[in-house]
Amino acid sequence: METAPMETEQRLVKLSSSQGDVFEVEFGTACYADVVKQMIDFTSESSDAETIPLNLKTTVLEKVLQYCDYHRDNEPKEIPKPLPTTNLGEIVGDWDAAFINVDDENMLYELILAANYLDIKPLLDLACAKAACAIKHMTPDAIREHFNLQPEQMTPEEEQEMLEELKWCTDGGAA
Amino acid sequence: MEMSGGADENAGKRPRVDNDDSSPAAAAAGGGGCSTGVAVDGGQPSDQEVHPVIDWADRANVCRLVPLLRKIKSLEAQTAAVLSEMRPHVTPTLADKVPGLSNKLMTVEQSVASRHDTLRGLIKTLDNVAVAKPPLPQPIATKTLPPDATITQLGRPSLDDLPPDVAHIVLAFMPTKDAAPLSRVNQAMKQVVTDDTRGVYRHLVIGVDEREWWNRGIRRNARRTLEDIGVHGDDSSEEDIEEDEEEQEEQQQEDDDDDDEEEEEQEEDQEDEEEKEKEDDSVREGEDDSAGEGVTGGADLRRPSKRLREQDALDVLKQKLGRLRTAHISTHWKRLDFPLKCIEASRDTVRSMKLCDDTPGFEDYYYGVPTSRPRVCFSQLEDLYVERWPARRGFRGWRWRFPSLFRLRVEGPTPWHQYEGAKDIMKRAPKLKSLSVEYVSTRDEEEDFASLIQGCPHLTDIEWVHLGLSHEFARKLGKLKRDLDPIWSKDSLKDVDNRIGLEFGDKISVPFTHELLHPTDTDAMSLPDFLNWAGVGQLHGRLEGR
């Protein structure tokens, strides 16, 4: 067991969530996100022990760190566009499919925002692909209901016009 | 560990585990003939085979333990050395006079050797431990927030809360037909979906299993009324439903036919064309024939209006899809009539096209496109990836032109299909810089390569040029140079990095090595000369082989 590389790997970085929870993670894991690396580079000039504040909820940061820790040693697969199937496991592998198969859909969208915020492109693609799979076969009405979105106030004429425009892609019996 | 001395009856029974010079036994062995040489149990083979998995958090502890154990092991070795120095002084007479002296010293020696071996085994074990992946990180502390602090919450993000850049990534994973309806969700989604540069109407995406939908489903949808859709109550007449069912049956039948022979596909294609022509006629007639001829009643009155609705809806859609920036078709692209019309309508805006074909096996049938189809000049197209470009006349693509095309990649079921496809496209792509084909032939008899590239004076990146069997290498290289010379030797391209990928269809075997290096044929060129010419001679460039 080499001690020198271990010492490098063992450098720990403290990241805090927006709720004040502090995570101590390895340097390599933290630096998987370029934004965090830049923040570490910046803060290490002033103080070694400084905690990097991240504008992420504790549960989201925890999940992001799990992804970073796994993929620092396992290069993620590129996800084809458009998705050839909605079975993500066939495309990205079992670990990523299980990782992104979150029970709470809010977590999925928070992960998308977190990946965007931290500039972790593979995670962003994975989460966006999952979101695309989820809404692919949903009608606009179903999406509104699913996400509790309010429809725009339209006059009957405007609504008719929009429906007419989109009837080419309106399969089944509902618009 | 080999033991010396005659007192050890177990000597040689214990397997040798290392050659550590610092072992107490080795030290004792150097000390004279009184070594106990007792085999001990430390460092069993099992110690070396086991690779324990330690927790992530214990990695630092292991790092600290190992040097300390080495230190103790070193001390044990020193003890053994001191013991060996003692042995000459324990004479037989002294041993006789002092009962237990010899036995007790032997016990000490055994103990030292045992500890040393145990330590060595431990060190080896710790050196070989595997470290478990860290568990999900847990917060190590919770900061005490100042009383006036506000925790920044991201709220409950949803589809329409995503920043436009991110929302477009989500849309990019969806085909156009699934992404377009999202504009009805709300205003925020509508802005994303219909964005003038990145929206779904600027990037036509057709998935692998959408051929039937784009050929028939879209037309069926387009000719419905809103009542047919059921938005304001389902007023569909029995006849409408029956028609839809018939169409579904037809579609099912066609799905089944997909697996049939090519001849059947050809017939189906012709039927499609005939049906389309009939429908077009109906549309034309329908405009002034809405009253019908008074013979067949309401059904005939309604049919033209349905087809008019279809035509109107598709015209509107074609306008929307008539300014595409990219087109990516993942299914049998040549048989998608409406999408191809949209692509052709986007002739002045489309910059990149990826046209895939997922049909298995060969295809060599006639596409039956009227010869009066106008030429389509894709003035902005720079990238084209195409699979199974038809090699036979009659296909609409034969009227396409690519005056701005820079990069071309052609794939097909056979090298011949690829080559012919590339050749056909390159005739209409005078600015081509990069060509990628699985197999570019250099056959002498047809002067193929020369004719392939002669219309592309800017071509500086080519793969893969097939050089044939090894005995042909030198001659092919000579021909390749002669073919490329008119282009690559131009003054205007002297500072350009050229790249050529060579495909070797055979190993360079010994009998041909001399010929390859020193060809006797006057038309041939040695590999070093070719490399020099292509790479480091008067030209700048790279040469790759596979």
Side-chain angles (χ1 to χ4, degrees), chain A residues 22 26 106 144 167 170 173, chain B residues 56 59 140 184 224 229:
Chain A
V22 180
E26 290 198 347
N106 289 318
R144 273 198 296 265
K167 70 176 184 181
T170 305
Chain B
W56 181 261
R59 294 203 314 167
I140 58 164
R184 267 198 66 224
R224 289 177 304 176
I229 298 170

Side-chain angles (χ1 to χ4, degrees), chain A residues 1 6 9-10 14 16 18-26 51 55 57-58 62 65-66 69 73 79-84 106 109-110 112-113 116 124-125 128-129 132 135-136 140-141 143-144 147 149-150 152 160 162-175, chain B residues 56 59-60 62-63 126-127 129 133-134 136-143 151-160 162-163 166 169-170 172-175 177-178 180-187 190 201 205 213-214 218 221-222 224 226 229-232 309 313 317 320 328:
Chain A
M1 187 179 290
M6 210 177 221
E9 282 183 14
Q10 275 180 347
K14 289 179 182 175
S16 72
S18 60
Q19 293 163 303
D21 292 314
V22 180
F23 291 81
E24 197 168 34
V25 297
E26 290 198 347
T51 299
N55 191 17
K57 283 198 252 184
T58 297
E62 196 172 32
L65 291 176
Q66 187 185 13
D69 194 55
D73 298 323
I79 305 175
K81 295 174 185 174
L83 291 169
N106 289 318
Y109 284 90
E110 298 210 43
I112 291 176
L113 294 174
N116 188 48
L124 180 62
D125 278 350
C128 286
I135 62 175
K136 185 176 178 185
D141 290 335
I143 289 173
R144 273 198 296 265
F147 292 103
L149 304 175
Q150 294 301 313
E152 296 301 321
Q160 291 271 339
M162 176 171 265
L163 289 169
E164 189 67 38
E165 275 184 23
L166 290 173
K167 70 176 184 181
W168 66 273
C169 55
T170 305
D171 288 326
Chain B
W56 181 261
R59 294 203 314 167
V62 169
C63 286
L126 289 174
D127 272 343
V129 293
K133 291 296 289 180
L136 188 66
Q138 297 294 322
I140 58 164
T142 302
K143 283 182 179 175
I151 296 174
T152 306
Q153 295 285 353
L154 290 173
R156 290 173 62 81
S158 175
L159 185 63
D160 66 340
L162 298 177
V166 178
I169 297 175
V170 176
F173 285 110
M174 303 171 71
K177 81 175 183 68
D178 294 329
L182 297 178
S183 61
R184 267 198 66 224
V185 170
N186 59 18
Q187 195 60 34
K190 185 179 181 182
Y201 296 114
V205 181
W213 192 93
W214 281 93
I218 191 173
N221 286 352
R224 289 177 304 176
L226 296 181
I229 298 170
V231 174
H232 302 295
R309 283 203 301 273
L317 179 59
K320 282 174 173 286
H328 183 166

